Amino acid sequence: MNNPTYTFVSVSTAKPGKLEDLVGIAKSPTMKMDKKSDGLIAYQVSVDKERNSVVVWATYDKKETLYNFLQTEQGKDDHGENEDMESIIESFVMYDLEPVSGRLLPKK
């Protein structure tokens, strides 16, 4: 397993009636990248229905793994560059994090 040195986290809130659309556009990029990059170590996309929000976290071997991929044509397409995100997303906050503790594997 690669050493995790970078975690991307985003918190998005959907416009009224658009939560399922937000879930779709939030989970797709990481699921696609998971098939294409060994540097993506772990990820989760979670829904908070009460807050009408979606949280994405993805842990990578290094920050460049994500950002270099996003600069490619495939990465831009997988990220949803052509999606109408403005009609779905009310608010979006992202974080570039350095992991300092945690566990990615099940306890033995």
Side-chain angles (χ1 to χ4, degrees), residues 2 7-9 13 15 20 25 42 44 48-49 51 56 61 66 71 97 103-104 106:
N2 293 330
T7 297
F8 167 86
V9 173
T13 302
K15 290 188 176 180
E20 291 307 314
I25 64 171
Q44 185 175 61
D48 183 333
K49 291 183 179 179
R51 290 181 178 90
V56 176
D61 57 349
L66 172 61
Q71 290 178 0
L97 305 173
R103 180 177 52 78
L104 295 174

Side-chain angles (χ1 to χ4, degrees), residues 4-52:
T5 66
Y6 169 71
T7 297
F8 167 86
V9 173
S10 68
V11 180
S12 305
T13 302
K15 290 188 176 180
K18 296 290 188 172
L19 183 59
E20 291 307 314
D21 294 330
L22 178 58
V23 170
I25 64 171
K27 71 181 185 179
S28 181
T30 310
M31 290 175 64
K32 289 177 180 178
M33 189 172 183
D34 190 34
K35 297 174 184 171
K36 298 172 184 166
S37 175
D38 292 333
L40 175 55
I41 297 170
Y43 72 94
Q44 185 175 61
V45 178
S46 301
V47 178
D48 183 333
K49 291 183 179 179
E50 287 184 22
R51 290 181 178 90
N52 203 37

Side-chain angles (χ1 to χ4, degrees), residues 52-71:
N52 203 37
S53 297
V54 176
V55 177
V56 176
W57 73 259
T59 296
Y60 296 86
D61 57 349
K62 56 188 183 257
K63 186 176 183 176
E64 293 79 18
T65 298
L66 172 61
Y67 286 95
N68 288 347
F69 180 72
L70 291 176
Q71 290 178 0

